[in-house]
Amino acid sequence: MRIGTLKETYIADAALFDSRTQKVWLAVGAALLVLFPFMASDYWLYLACLVSINVASATGLNILTGYTGLVSLGQAAFMGLGAYTVAVLETKVGTPFVLNLLAGGLVAMLGGIVVGIPSLRVKGLYLAIATIAASFIAHFIFANWKFTGGTGGLSVPPAKLFGMALDTSFRLYWLIVPVTLLMLLGAANLFRTRVGRAFIAIRDRDISAEVLGIPLLRYKLLSFGLSSFYAGVAGGLWAYFFRVVTPESFPLLMSIFFLAAIIVGGMGSILGGILGAVFMTMVPELLKLVVDLMPGGSELTVFLSPVRTVIFGLLIIGFLVFEPHGLAEVWRRVRRFFHLWPFRN
């Protein structure tokens, strides 16, 4: 049982992975991610890519809501900004996909900073309403501006790497998953810096943070910008994955989806964003598989679909009632139990 770690320098104390056990599990996880696409079917590769995109966007929202305490219902709109930026650059300019993804993130970041301006005056429900207004404005732009293709949207050519088109789930896996891992690494390191600690101070008590010398407007806008950058990159990955972008691709319901993901997973935790996105993406698919395996399930799909939705909703409510800290806290309790179990009477 690990009961403590002696750290003799500040660098060791600030290390992201501070034990050999963590490094071993990290290596095991990396090996599994490398082997997975060679063993999985197209269906599971599709789900793996979709989960990775959702993890990236949920992590961005967790930076804003979970760590900074600013509620947003505009994550889908920022994903849309990133997706449309990638689609326009890919179809009309032909720049490499790396530049397209970065541009999508930067455009979304600018949009997030503009939306975040009211955050100095309002917060909570009022800020959430302001971000909803941003979603409607973004939808109007997507549907009515000519360069976005109007209501018909835009078709996106496949990304290319060394002349090879990334047009299958297997090939896209090697683009989407590494980008998501880099974004997770960046988020994990962010909260070991002065900027990340300022975000947490604002979340805990913004007045006290201002007294301590933290400029609220600057850091709130920075949080909005970083969150939107993550959403924009995730939207760009979404565009390359589905190969078509329309105004209906990023509804308000998608923003609610990501907010539910970080609540179920655990706000203020990188692991919570991962677990929440996996839960919200995979549970409906698993419920569908259960229904299909039932006798006569394929014929009863139409009738059992509302039942699946109700069960899914009850699971979310169950987490809110019985474990408000989310799946991340459940995981921590499981770890503590198995670490202490051999020593219990």
Side-chain angles (χ1 to χ4, degrees), residues 34-286:
V34 171
L35 293 175
F36 175 79
F38 297 101
M39 300 182 294
S41 63
D42 288 340
Y43 172 74
W44 289 105
L45 284 172
Y46 165 86
L47 289 179
C49 293
L50 184 59
V51 166
S52 297
I53 294 171
N54 290 340
V55 165
S57 187
T59 300
L61 184 60
N62 217 352
I63 292 173
L64 179 66
T65 302
Y67 283 98
T68 318
L70 302 174
V71 181
S72 172
L73 287 172
Q75 198 72 353
F78 302 131
M79 285 186 67
L81 288 175
Y84 270 100
T85 301
V86 166
V88 170
L89 290 177
E90 188 69 46
T91 55
K92 299 183 179 181
V93 182
T95 48
F97 71 86
V98 175
L99 295 180
N100 295 342
L101 290 175
L102 289 175
L106 291 175
V107 170
M109 175 183 280
L110 292 176
I113 291 174
V114 172
V115 173
I117 292 175
S119 64
L120 187 64
R121 294 286 184 178
V122 297
K123 56 184 178 180
L125 179 62
Y126 301 99
L127 182 58
I129 293 174
T131 58
I132 291 176
S135 296
F136 286 112
I137 294 173
H139 184 275
F140 176 83
I141 293 174
F142 299 155
N144 292 278
W145 286 17
K146 289 184 179 180
F147 74 90
T148 61
T151 56
L154 296 172
S155 297
V156 183
K160 291 185 178 180
L161 180 63
F162 302 118
M164 180 178 64
L166 306 181
D167 53 0
T168 64
S169 296
F170 177 84
R171 293 177 178 177
L172 282 168
Y173 178 92
W174 302 104
L175 167 64
I176 295 173
V177 173
V179 170
T180 299
L181 291 176
L182 286 175
M183 295 169 75
L184 288 172
L185 183 63
N189 278 284
L190 173 66
F191 297 101
R192 297 163 53 245
T193 66
R194 181 178 60 183
V195 174
R197 296 189 184 101
F199 289 165
I200 295 172
I202 293 172
R203 178 197 65 189
D204 292 341
R205 190 68 174 175
D206 56 353
I207 296 176
S208 299
E210 189 173 24
V211 170
L212 292 173
I214 297 174
L216 295 185
L217 180 59
R218 181 191 306 172
Y219 280 97
K220 285 183 177 181
L221 293 182
L222 181 58
S223 181
F224 262 100
L226 287 174
S227 174
S228 302
F229 178 84
Y230 271 63
V233 174
L237 295 174
W238 193 97
Y240 280 125
F241 184 56
F242 288 101
R243 302 275 301 281
V244 63
V245 181
T246 67
E248 306 304 324
S249 301
F250 305 98
L252 178 62
L253 186 62
M254 181 181 282
S255 295
I256 298 174
F257 170 93
F258 288 115
L259 185 60
I262 64 172
I263 292 174
V264 170
M267 291 195 294
S269 168
I270 300 298
L271 179 62
I274 298 172
L275 296 179
V278 172
F279 177 90
M280 294 293 292
T281 307
M282 294 301 298
V283 168
E285 294 294 330
L286 294 177

Side-chain angles (χ1 to χ4, degrees), residues 283-326:
V283 168
E285 294 294 330
L286 294 177
L287 291 175
K288 181 181 177 181
L289 288 176
V290 170
V291 170
D292 291 340
L293 292 175
M294 294 173 59
S298 57
E299 291 79 9
L300 296 175
T301 299
V302 176
F303 300 100
L304 293 178
S305 180
V307 177
R308 295 203 315 268
T309 304
V310 170
I311 294 174
F312 186 43
L314 290 175
L315 288 172
I316 296 175
I317 294 173
F319 276 109
L320 295 176
V321 173
F322 298 106
E323 188 47 80
H325 295 291

